[in-house]
Amino acid sequence: MRQDHLISASHLSREDIEAVLDRAADIDADPAAFRQRHAGKVLGLCFFEPSTRTRMSFDSAMKRLGGQTVDMGPVESSSVKKGETLADTVRVVEGYADALVLRHPSEGAATMAAEFVDVPLVNAGDGAGQHPSQTLLDLYTIRENAGLDDLTIGIMGDLKYGRTVHSLAEALTNFDASQHFISPESLRLPRNVRYDLHASGAQVREHTELDEVLPELDVLYVTRIQRERFPDENEYRKVAGQYQIDSETLDAASDDLTIMHPLPRVDEISPDIDDTDHATYFEQAHNGIPVRMALLDILLSQDR
Ligand code: CP
């Protein structure tokens, strides 16, 4: 990878992405070969927002590389509660770790934090901004199940606040992918993301109904409506539950359709899909291990 930090998927070239995905495939094929790769190194985990998958898979990935982790723990029991700034927090934690993983509710927080540290910093989600390490595991899952070129993907749900969507859409511009965005009018992709997609020449279409496009799709990427990001609960209620899929919805889909979701889900994918061949979301979450191992391996091996 060309950069020291991973802040936005828009900074990733096709070569960067393939380097991580190929390394992840090597790890999947022979995890034992990587078991002592970063022995003696420490990863700092700074999560200012809740997380299950990202926090635990980075923790597990670092340990599977022979390293260790230090975790800031919940914000409530950290010195953030005493008024410590983000800049001071990351400057302190970089003294305890060889790389940092940061999740924060404010868009742009990772960009700002990276200005203050010399160790590699991974943006693990900044508000409604970006979540690029999720994108790498999403791309790995797509490559394994449907291939990344000549791909027709539908991305559905909360496209306005869904940071996994923003990162994935931008990363897919590196590939021959036709992207269909399905959402209520009020949750369309933000203007800046639409601008970037058009500027890159991406093949993009927007829809309000899934059935307009479902039969064409190789992959359907479903997202949760991000209730916590709505400034007005009434606005959330207007769209909650509008985009739900169940086995009946899939009557019109290709037999080979791959269904993905970054998780956690609320009610947007019925559990009756979980045991079908379409369901790929748990495999996708498990791919967080080889992909985050690969990412850490590359970032920790770079000459700085
Ligand atoms: N997909 C994802 O970011 O999940 P967590 O919020 O549990 O980390």
Side-chain angles (χ1 to χ4, degrees):
M1 292 193 355
R2 289 163 303 154
Q3 60 268 348
D4 294 335
H5 307 295
L6 179 58
I7 305 297
S8 168
S10 62
H11 302 157
L12 293 171
S13 67
R14 182 174 178 133
E15 291 70 33
D16 292 332
I17 293 166
E18 287 177 340
V20 177
L21 271 47
D22 291 347
R23 186 75 56 94
D26 292 344
I27 291 168
D28 249 344
D30 186 7
F34 293 81
R35 213 169 271 154
Q36 290 304 314
R37 189 86 153 200
H38 294 287
K41 295 216 175 124
V42 177
L43 179 67
L45 302 172
C46 298
F47 280 70
F48 291 74
E49 265 194 345
S51 170
T52 298
R53 277 147 291 275
T54 312
R55 185 201 292 261
M56 293 187 72
S57 62
F58 266 116
D59 189 6
S60 179
M62 189 62 187
K63 289 170 179 166
R64 286 165 192 249
L65 289 166
Q68 298 174 65
T69 58
V70 283
D71 192 329
M72 187 184 86
V75 167
E76 290 67 32
S77 58
S78 76
S79 287
V80 176
K81 288 310 267 185
K82 302 175 196 161
E84 187 162 49
T85 63
L86 175 60
D88 281 359
T89 300
V90 294
R91 271 188 290 203
V92 169
V93 180
E94 85 161 327
Y96 308 153
D98 300 286
L100 299 181
V101 178
L102 173 68
R103 171 169 290 187
H104 198 278
S106 301
E107 200 168 329
T111 305
M112 188 279 280
E115 298 286 323
F116 290 91
V117 296
D118 291 323
V119 299
L121 185 143
V122 177
N123 178 8
D126 61 328
Q130 289 271 321
H131 193 352
S133 69
Q134 174 73 42
T135 292
L136 290 167
L137 73 91
D138 292 343
L139 295 173
Y140 186 74
T141 307
I142 294 170
R143 190 170 84 166
E144 297 270 292
N145 286 277
L148 277 166
D149 280 315
D150 196 21
L151 172 74
T152 303
I153 184 169
I155 303 180
M156 181 171 85
D158 185 348
L159 311 184
K160 179 177 181 178
Y161 297 117
R163 56 195 174 200
T164 67
V165 170
H166 307 157
S167 290
L168 180 60
E170 293 190 349
L172 282 170
T173 62
N174 289 291
F175 301 90
D176 177 19
S178 175
Q179 302 191 54
H180 295 265
F181 295 99
I182 307 124
S183 74
E185 189 64 32
S186 62
L187 295 180
R188 287 176 70 197
L189 280 175
R191 190 183 293 267
N192 66 313
V193 178
R194 274 184 280 143
Y195 178 86
D196 287 348
L197 294 182
H198 287 295
S200 69
Q203 307 160 58
V204 171
R205 281 176 54 200
E206 294 182 275
H207 312 263
T208 53
E209 302 302 329
L210 175 61
D211 56 15
E212 289 171 18
V213 69
L214 181 60
E216 294 173 44
L217 300 180
D218 302 310
V219 174
L220 176 61
Y221 188 97
V222 184
T223 63
R224 176 178 67 91
I225 308 285
Q226 309 267 306
R227 182 178 196 161
E228 67 276 23
R229 310 233 182 267
F230 280 69
D232 179 348
E233 178 72 11
N234 289 326
E235 291 303 310
Y236 168 74
R237 286 207 201 95
K238 282 185 198 164
V239 291
Q242 271 190 29
Y243 289 80
Q244 295 177 338
I245 60 168
D246 57 22
S247 47
E248 209 173 303
T249 319
L250 298 183
D251 286 347
S254 150
D255 289 345
D256 296 330
L257 177 71
T258 296
I259 300 178
M260 297 174 61
H261 191 307
L263 303 177
R265 69 176 151 179
V266 180
D267 56 6
E268 52 281 351
I269 300 180
S270 167
D272 68 9
I273 292 180
D274 294 356
D275 292 329
T276 70
D277 290 341
H278 299 292
T280 314
Y281 25 95
F282 293 114
E283 173 190 331
Q284 179 185 356
H286 296 163
N287 284 338
I289 296 294
V291 172
R292 289 187 167 120
M293 284 175 75
L295 176 63
L296 291 172
D297 184 33
I298 290 170
L299 289 173
L300 289 167
S301 302
Q302 285 183 156
D303 289 336
R304 302 185 63 78

